[in-house]
Amino acid sequence: MISCQDVPSGDGRVLRAYDSGLGGAVGTVVWHHGSPQTGALLEPLLVAAAERGIRLLSYGRPGYGGSDRVPGRDVASAGVDVGRVADAFGVERFAVMGASGGGPHAIACAAVLPERVGSVVCLAGIAPLTDEFDWFAGMVSPGGLRAALDGRAARERFAEVDEFDPAAFTPADWGVLGGEWESLGADAQRAGQAGSGGLVDDDVAFTSPWGFEPASVAAPVLLVQGGQDRVVPPSHADWLHRRLPRAELWSRPDDGHVSVLRACGEAMDWLVVNRTG
């Protein structure tokens, strides 16, 4: 049975965290949600983890799903928060897995907690802001990220007028959102109704220094990328693949930003095989 608890962060905040309470025979995976989502464990993830004997933890990043907001947080701060969550559930070693906005935060855990994180999966994850390639090319709706370049106040003003562009998702994306990943759309809607603070802080963090260099990540990292992704284009995964020392790239030519999540089960298999320590 899924349990939920508020975990003290150590600086007066709380992090709302979840434990699948299932399996664990082959290890624990900490899931990092997309932007925006609540951090609650979604049915497709729970099913895939249970089938593999994996214990699944997750939490809402600051500003999401009951976790206290931290304006000014960087991507690396996720490592500290996840360490607290793992401690609260009695877990020492674990793998991490994140999608979309959760991808960079999963990678951050391997940089910040190298002795605890054995392997990483990043699905459709954004790369650090760089001029080494056209970072915005291929994004259908980059308005939030562009506003974030001008700081938090500008990003918050944009949030007041921002509207989702359905063209950001491919027919394959809409197909899975109407099927096996319907729970993701419902969860994103709940997160959006609770306010834009978490999403604003994510975008500012993505377009600011992350607090670590990808080259410092020693753990094996699997990048899973849809070739038709209109939210985070394949150029981001290509850049990360070149910069992460032990990266493997799975390109899925027909997938978009959401349909790439159909690879979650296989990615969990990869985590188990490639865990270290």
Side-chain angles (χ1 to χ4, degrees), residues 16-203:
R16 185 152 297 167
Y18 300 84
D19 180 3
S20 69
L22 299 172
V26 298
T28 299
V29 172
V30 179
W31 171 256
H32 294 258
H33 64 80
S35 311
Q37 286 181 255
T38 68
L41 288 168
L42 304 179
E43 186 66 19
L45 295 169
L46 290 166
V47 170
E51 289 175 347
R52 291 161 174 81
I54 291 172
R55 181 183 183 185
L56 201 59
L57 305 180
S58 69
Y59 76 110
R61 283 193 299 282
Y64 289 114
S67 294
D68 291 329
R69 189 180 179 188
V70 184
R73 61 178 167 88
D74 61 12
V75 175
S77 66
V80 178
D81 285 347
V82 166
R84 295 280 187 177
V85 170
D87 289 346
F89 288 106
V91 175
E92 178 59 29
R93 291 277 298 174
F94 50 91
V96 289
M97 184 174 182
S100 188
H105 295 93
I107 296 172
C109 290
V112 175
L113 303 170
E115 302 303 318
R116 301 184 71 175
V117 174
S119 51
V120 184
V121 167
C122 172
L123 301 106
I126 201 166
L129 183 65
T130 177
D131 58 6
E132 295 179 17
F133 68 99
D134 189 343
W135 199 76
F136 291 103
M139 295 184 185
V140 165
S141 299
L145 291 167
R146 289 191 183 278
L149 290 174
D150 294 324
R152 180 169 298 98
R155 181 60 182 86
E156 289 177 336
R157 288 193 298 271
F158 182 83
E160 296 173 359
V161 299
D162 187 22
E163 294 184 4
F164 176 71
D165 184 351
F169 288 166
T170 68
D173 291 332
W174 288 115
V176 298
L177 283 169
E180 64 266 41
W181 282 91
E182 184 178 10
S183 58
L184 185 147
D187 187 72
Q189 187 174 32
R190 285 192 294 273
Q193 290 170 345
S196 61
L199 180 58
V200 166
D201 295 338
D202 271 355
D203 281 356

